Amino acid sequence: ERLVRSKGATVLAKRVSSPNEVPSPAAKSWVSDTVGILNPHAVNRINNMATELRRDTGAELVVVMLA
């Protein structure tokens, strides 16, 4: 695990060995927040960052909030 800073945001990044280890978010969003931790503005910012990341590098970012 490591902290990553990007465009004013700090994100805890964790490498996984398989995509099966990460719960899949809804098709319309890179964020899965079923417990309601993030406000709509934060979800929108994360979605925009993830979309730019995919467009610019081909990498994908998924944010999953668990309680």
Side-chain angles (χ1 to χ4, degrees), residues 12-63:
L12 177 64
K14 180 177 181 180
R15 184 175 296 263
V16 295
S17 59
S18 166
N20 295 333
E21 293 180 40
V22 180
S24 181
K28 64 182 178 178
S29 177
W30 296 101
V31 178
S32 178
D33 182 16
T34 59
V35 292
I37 294 172
L38 301 171
N39 66 46
H41 177 72
V43 171
N44 190 44
R45 283 190 63 202
I46 294 167
N47 277 323
N48 288 339
M49 289 171 51
T51 298
E52 290 176 15
L53 177 69
R54 184 176 189 193
R55 181 193 66 222
D56 295 346
T57 69
E60 293 185 347
L61 165 78
V62 176
V63 177

